Amino acid sequence: MPALVLLGAQWGDEGKGKATDLLGGSVDYVVRYQGGNNAGHTVVVGDQKYALHLLPSGILSPGCTPVIGNGVVVDPSVLLSELSGLNERGVDTSKLLLSGNAHIITPYNVTVDKVTERFLGKRKIGTTGRGIGPTYADKINRVGIRVQDLYDESILTQKVEAALDVKNQILTKLYNRRAIAVDQVVEELLGYADKLAPYVADTVLVLNQALEEDKVVLFEGGQGTLLDIDHGTYPFVTSSNPTAGGACTGAGVGPTKISRVIGILKAYTTRVGAGPFPTELFDEDGEALRRIGGERGVTTGRDRRCGWFDAVIARYATRVNGLTDFFLTKLDVLTGWEQIPVCVAYEIDGKRVEELPYSQTDFHHAKPVYEMLPGWSEDISKAKSFADLPKNAQSYVKALEEMSGAPISAIGVGPGRDETIEINSFL
Ligand code: GDP
Ligand code: IMO
Ligand code: MG
């Protein structure tokens, strides 16, 4: 079983960092395949807490090689400060591999992200402001800057010129901003070249050779299924493909190599930024989930919107990702509710709908149809096996599994590495 994908089954922040770290000790490579430092993955090891944005969570497992694949967009200043932050805490980062084909988030991409959002006003997406969308837009427009361009000043200059030609017109004439000077950008980018050089590699070759040798490769998604540019709640999405297929394009590995796709699924639902969210709560239950679950963004510090578990979304995630397993996280957060509502279907314009509607209009009109499940009050954070869980917590998990369409193979009962119940082994 050489290659596994681990990805978000909802709107991000499901606990991918913790789940990846848990497997980090048993895999040879952990690969980020899309997104950039819009991600915030929390890993708790003992009394140490790490917030990773660009680095794969495998960086904290000494035997594991962390890889930033071609599909990732990389802000060099963020990468270097994340590396030095970890080095200061005694984490060895020397094994990191960075794809020469990964695209660079330039300072002008960050500027464009911010001004575009401001210009959209109340129609804004609520992006993380990290330049993600504009960098992917440049990639698709074929005016992107790649890591390898840092090593050819002439090519880099021509490419920055090409990118800024149009952008400066837009910035000055439409957004009333100052033009960005080509040589300033080139100088800044060249300043990163030597510092990044030790990590730059042909990661596609490395990963495929590793798979030939039966090494275990874990792909760590950023964001989540409903934030996918193709399969998410467009336009309220990110600009990449967090879904399983993204691992193939974002790392250069064929789909025949992937044997397991694990969806990370929170026992309730959260979302950051704008966009539809049928089970969102605006009452004290939502406030309690936010408080007990610590639902505050790792990247932007924004409060996360909170709501009950949505089985329609989980089923959709199973389908579009071909999920083989779920890792259910944060079950402990639900301790203390007498009854827990779970959304089993939607009501759209008076009709009951069991599956996620493809139409944006319908999804905006979707009202949750709830089933009430009995809650539990016992502390479950020390549970080590499924049998240790109170009966109602067991039934909650079983009900979610039944509704979601794939086996729940692990359950998170706390943020720490060891606060996990393993049901089926992932490896
Ligand atoms: P990611 O972006 O998917 O990696 O998730 P985040 O790190 O943004 O958010 C998940 C939060 O939940 C982090 O603070 C984790 O430490 C925490 N967490 C993960 N799993 C569990 C769990 O099972 N129980 C509790 N209480 N917290 C968890
Ligand atoms: P992790 O990996 C939750 C959201 C933003 C916004 C939308 C587009 O920690 O789960 P972008 O900056 O990507 O153009 O913003 O996507 N978003 C996330 N929400 N978790 C994330 O990452 C996210 N990354 C982006 O809030 O709504
Ligand atoms: Mg996060």
Side-chain angles (χ1 to χ4, degrees):
M1 105 121 55
L4 306 88
V5 182
L6 190 158
L7 53 81
Q10 294 151 322
W11 275 287
D13 303 324
E14 299 91 347
K16 298 176 291 292
K18 173 191 154 158
T20 302
D21 170 66
L22 194 68
L23 298 178
S26 334
V27 304
D28 301 297
Y29 294 82
V30 174
V31 188
R32 277 284 304 271
Y33 56 88
Q34 48 66 238
N37 59 306
N38 48 349
H41 295 184
T42 316
V43 178
V44 179
V45 187
D47 61 355
Q48 293 290 307
K49 186 171 172 174
Y50 301 89
L52 302 168
H53 298 284
L54 205 41
L55 292 168
S57 302
I59 196 118
L60 300 172
S61 301
C64 171
T65 302
V67 179
I68 296 178
N70 55 276
V72 177
V73 288
V74 179
D75 185 326
S77 65
V78 172
L79 177 57
L80 290 168
S81 74
E82 213 171 318
L83 286 168
S84 63
L86 287 177
N87 294 154
E88 278 162 26
R89 296 175 70 178
V91 177
D92 175 19
T93 58
S94 60
K95 283 178 147 179
L96 175 72
L97 299 179
L98 167 64
S99 166
N101 285 347
H103 280 246
I104 288 190
I105 302 179
T106 63
Y108 52 79
N109 294 134
V110 178
T111 303
V112 170
D113 192 359
K114 289 181 177 154
V115 292
T116 313
E117 281 282 277
R118 211 169 302 147
F119 209 72
L120 279 170
K122 64 177 174 32
R123 290 167 301 169
K124 71 178 179 189
I125 308 292
T127 72
T128 58
R130 301 300 194 261
I132 305 295
T135 305
Y136 279 115
D138 278 3
K139 173 177 174 174
I140 301 299
N141 276 332
R142 292 160 295 188
V143 290
I145 311 294
R146 294 188 292 176
V147 168
Q148 59 177 291
D149 298 330
L150 302 183
Y151 303 97
D152 186 326
E153 186 172 347
S154 157
I155 283 187
L156 178 68
T157 308
Q158 290 175 48
K159 288 189 175 178
V160 173
E161 266 168 10
L164 280 177
D165 251 2
V166 177
K167 243 168 236 105
N168 272 335
Q169 300 283 333
I170 296 172
L171 283 173
T172 53
K173 293 186 180 146
L174 185 64
Y175 294 125
N176 232 352
R177 306 273 302 202
R178 260 195 307 239
I180 296 171
V182 171
D183 47 351
Q184 247 174 32
V185 174
V186 170
E187 193 188 323
E188 178 180 334
L189 293 180
L190 286 175
Y192 300 124
D194 286 349
K195 294 182 191 127
L196 292 179
Y199 307 111
V200 180
D202 181 352
T203 54
V204 174
L205 183 64
V206 171
L207 290 172
N208 279 285
Q209 282 176 339
L211 287 167
E212 289 293 317
E213 291 164 20
D214 265 346
K215 298 271 196 289
V216 183
V217 177
L218 175 66
F219 297 98
E220 176 185 10
Q223 293 75 54
T225 301
L226 275 298
L227 287 173
D228 187 281
I229 187 82
D230 285 277
H231 302 291
T233 47
Y234 190 91
F236 301 101
V237 292
T238 190
S239 300
S240 67
N241 288 117
T243 47
C248 297
T249 49
V253 164
T256 48
K257 298 287 193 303
I258 293 167
S259 48
R260 208 136 174 202
V261 185
I262 305 159
I264 312 303
L265 189 65
K266 217 179 261 193
Y268 50 98
T269 314
T270 63
R271 171 162 209 175
V272 195
F277 177 1
T279 63
E280 183 169 16
L281 293 166
F282 300 95
D283 58 8
E284 59 271 26
D285 281 331
E287 205 40 59
L289 287 173
R290 191 171 303 119
R291 190 185 66 252
I292 303 165
E295 297 296 353
R296 184 174 282 257
V298 183
T299 299
T300 56
R302 289 179 287 180
D303 273 354
R304 293 174 182 156
R305 300 158 63 192
C306 296
W308 299 121
F309 183 82
D310 185 336
V312 181
I313 278 173
R315 271 200 294 282
Y316 179 73
T318 304
R319 189 177 318 129
V320 298
N321 294 299
L323 295 182
T324 56
D325 305 79
F326 278 115
F327 188 138
L328 186 71
T329 60
K330 304 190 95 161
L331 186 64
D332 53 302
V333 175
L334 293 178
T335 301
W337 268 274
E338 221 164 277
Q339 287 201 304
I340 309 169
V342 168
C343 169
V344 294
Y346 300 142
E347 190 193 299
I348 302 174
D349 301 330
K351 284 201 197 82
R352 184 182 165 109
V353 173
E354 305 280 339
E355 303 299 343
L356 198 88
Y358 76 86
S359 144
Q360 182 184 0
T361 311
D362 285 351
F363 194 57
H364 276 266
H365 292 172
K367 293 193 186 69
V369 175
Y370 286 118
E371 199 170 284
M372 303 303 278
L373 299 181
W376 61 92
S377 54
E378 300 89 334
D379 176 12
I380 62 168
S381 62
K382 303 283 179 297
K384 292 281 168 252
S385 71
F386 190 70
D388 291 343
L389 291 174
K391 215 173 128 285
N392 286 350
Q394 291 186 9
S395 313
Y396 186 81
V397 173
K398 283 285 158 210
L400 264 46
E401 183 174 77
E402 186 105 328
M403 293 169 194
S404 303
I408 292 175
S409 295
I411 303 168
V413 291
R417 246 184 210 175
D418 51 349
E419 289 170 309
T420 307
I421 296 172
E422 256 196 82
I423 299 171
N424 307 311
S425 168
F426 289 117
L427 295 162

